[in-house]
Amino acid sequence: MPLTGARLLVAATLFFQTVIPSPILNDDQRVLGTNTFATPQTAQQPSRKLNGKFLHITDFHPDEFYKPHSSTAEGVACHRKEGSAGTYGAETTDCDSPLALVDATLDWIRAHVKDDIDFVVWTGDTARHDSDEKLPRNSGHVLGTNRQVAQKIIDTFSDNGQLDIPVIPTFGNNDFLPHNIFYPGPNKWLKAYSEIWHRFIPEEQRHSFAFGGWFESRLSRTSSPSSV
C-alpha cells in the first residue's frame, strides 16, 4: 500500500454513539483513585498562531500480530500462513492495520500537517477487531495498543516532551470489552484510560474522568472549553 494511502486513516468520520459517559447516579458512588502525574501542561503555547483547522484521527485498528506476506483469508486476519498481506496493510480484506502503517501515517502528519492545525480530535478504535478465533482479544491487547498509539501521538505532536497543541481523545467501540458495551463508571476501563491519556486530560480533571469518563479542554487561549 503506498504511503500516501495512509492519509485515508485520518479522514474517516465514524463516531460511535453507543459510547456515552455515565451520569452520577447517587452519593454512594466513589471516585476511583488515580496516580498523580507530574506532566507538562497540554494547553496551546501562547506564541502559536491559530490556523482555524483541526485534525480528526480515527480507526487506526492497530494489530500487533499482523505479519507481512501472511494470508488475508477470513479468520486468519493476516496473522499466519502465506499470502498477499503487504508491509503497510491489506486493503479490501478483513485484516487490521500493521503498526508500520500507524507509524508511517503519524510520521507523514508530523512532517506535513502538525504545524498547520490548532488541535486534534482522536476518536479511538485503537485496538484490533476480534477476527481471529486463535488469537481472541483480551484487555491486555486492547489497552496495550492504545498505550502504544497514545505515546506515538504524543511524540507526533510534541517537541522537547511538551505537547504543541491539544489532543482530545475519546473511545471507539473496540477500545473496551465486551465489544460495543460500556458499563457505567467508575470501572476498570476508565481507570486504565485515565492513566493512558494522562497527557491529554487536564490534571485537575483526572479524578472526574476516572469516575464517569468526562473532561473538558481549552483548545486555545481565546476559546471556550470543549467537553468530551
Side-chain angles (χ1 to χ4, degrees):
M1 179 178 182
L3 287 184
T4 53
R7 304 178 195 178
L8 296 176
L9 281 174
V10 298
T13 57
L14 182 60
F15 290 91
F16 298 96
Q17 298 180 359
T18 56
V19 182
I20 57 175
S22 166
I24 298 176
L25 299 178
N26 56 57
D27 292 335
D28 294 330
Q29 295 194 30
R30 296 290 183 269
V31 177
L32 288 174
T34 56
N35 295 328
T36 299
F37 299 91
T39 58
Q41 294 296 315
T42 59
Q44 189 170 353
Q45 297 302 302
S47 60
R48 186 178 178 89
K49 175 186 175 183
L50 294 179
N51 297 289
K53 302 176 185 178
F54 72 95
L55 176 67
H56 178 200
I57 298 177
T58 193
D59 289 77
F60 270 132
H61 289 294
D63 184 353
E64 67 272 44
F65 299 107
Y66 183 99
K67 293 182 179 179
H69 313 299
S70 61
S71 173
T72 61
E74 184 177 357
V76 177
C78 294
H79 291 161
R80 55 190 172 274
K81 300 183 179 180
E82 297 292 325
S84 59
T87 300
Y88 294 105
E91 66 274 21
T92 74
T93 74
D94 290 334
C95 298
D96 285 315
S97 303
L99 289 170
L101 179 59
V102 177
D103 289 339
T105 301
L106 292 175
D107 286 346
W108 187 89
I109 289 171
R110 181 172 177 84
H112 300 284
V113 177
K114 170 180 173 286
D115 295 329
D116 196 36
I117 56 175
D118 300 328
F119 62 93
V120 176
V121 178
W122 172 26
T123 53
D125 265 358
T126 315
R128 64 186 173 96
H129 294 95
D130 212 359
S131 303
D132 185 352
E133 292 184 353
K134 294 186 177 180
L135 285 172
R137 296 196 318 162
N138 59 42
S139 59
H141 297 153
V142 172
L143 296 175
T145 52
N146 267 278
R147 188 172 286 108
Q148 279 184 282
V149 175
Q151 185 58 54
K152 292 176 187 293
I153 286 178
I154 291 168
D155 294 341
T156 299
F157 297 104
S158 65
D159 291 303
N160 301 319
Q162 182 169 344
L163 283 171
D164 295 328
I165 56 176
V167 175
I168 314 299
T170 189
F171 301 104
N173 67 327
N174 287 283
D175 291 327
F176 40 78
L177 298 172
H179 173 250
N180 282 335
I181 299 174
F182 196 87
Y183 293 108
N187 59 51
K188 68 176 184 179
W189 295 103
L190 290 175
K191 183 176 182 180
Y193 281 103
S194 69
E195 183 272 322
I196 293 172
W197 293 346
H198 74 272
R199 291 290 299 276
F200 312 128
I201 301 172
E203 183 174 0
E204 68 275 9
Q205 298 185 56
R206 291 179 196 146
H207 282 287
S208 62
F209 178 83
F211 187 95
W214 55 76
F215 71 96
E216 65 179 27
S217 178
R218 189 172 295 277
L219 302 180
S220 74
R221 288 182 299 153
T222 58
S223 69
S224 299
S226 176
S227 298
V228 176

